[in-house]
């Protein structure tokens, strides 16, 4: 009787291990996640644009504009590749619409935002 239970347990363990080994693991890297990546946090600028990035969103201002353009809410971040991200965020400045922008991390002092190189200040 005991040997029968041992064989049943061994067979069940072998079947479980074989099915888990054959089942592919899928990562959720291509889906949207909440919060801005920490490497983008801080103040960034070039001659035309200034941007302030926090965990819960970012502000941007264009030189010559009347003030800050707020893009705060819960940012949805999608990793596109090596240091490239797509940010989908609720923008209060555009009458409550969702806006999508791209960020690329170049180094700890440079990022690319909507095709423009920005420096940390």
């Amino acid at each position: 009787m005991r040997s029968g239970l041992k064989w049943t347990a061994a067979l069940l363990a072998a079947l479980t291990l074989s099915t888990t080994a054959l089942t592919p693991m899928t990562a959720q890297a291509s889906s949207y996640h909440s919060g801005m990546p920490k490497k983008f946090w801080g103040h960034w600028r070039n001659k035309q644009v200034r941007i302030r990035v926090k965990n819960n969103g970012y502000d941007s201002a264009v030189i010559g504009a009347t003030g800050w353009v707020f893009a705060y809410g819960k940012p949805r971040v999608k990793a596109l590749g090596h240091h490239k991200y797509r940010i989908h965020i609720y923008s209060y400045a555009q009458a409550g619409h969702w806006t999508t922008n791209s960020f690329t991390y170049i180094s700890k002092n440079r990022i690319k935002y909507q095709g423009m190189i920005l420096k940390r200040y």
Side-chain angles (χ1 to χ4, degrees):
M1 186 74 156
R2 282 190 174 176
S3 65
L5 287 175
K6 287 181 182 178
W7 280 104
T8 305
L11 181 64
L12 183 61
L15 286 173
T16 304
L17 289 175
S18 65
T19 56
T20 57
L22 296 176
T23 306
M25 298 295 286
T26 57
Q28 297 297 320
S30 63
S31 63
Y32 281 93
H33 302 284
S34 63
M36 295 290 288
K38 196 166 187 175
K39 57 183 146 188
F40 293 116
W41 292 6
H43 298 273
W44 305 89
R45 71 176 174 158
N46 67 7
K47 291 183 179 180
Q48 295 88 21
V49 175
R50 291 181 183 214
I51 185 169
R52 178 176 53 193
V53 180
K54 295 181 180 179
N55 181 33
N56 61 341
Y58 58 90
D59 297 338
S60 60
V62 179
I63 300 300
T66 58
W68 289 97
V69 176
F70 294 102
Y72 266 88
K74 287 191 173 183
R76 307 299 293 161
V77 180
K78 184 176 189 176
L80 300 177
H82 188 67
H83 299 301
K84 295 180 183 179
Y85 297 88
R86 180 179 298 142
I87 314 296
H88 189 66
I89 192 167
Y90 190 77
S91 176
Y92 294 106
Q94 297 175 351
H97 288 91
W98 286 88
T99 181
T100 304
N101 291 311
S102 61
F103 283 82
T104 304
Y105 180 81
I106 298 171
S107 70
K108 71 176 192 174
N109 292 319
R110 291 178 191 256
I111 64 170
K112 187 183 280 190
Y113 168 69
Q114 295 182 341
M116 298 177 285
I117 303 289
L118 302 177
K119 295 179 182 178
R120 187 182 298 271
Y121 74 97

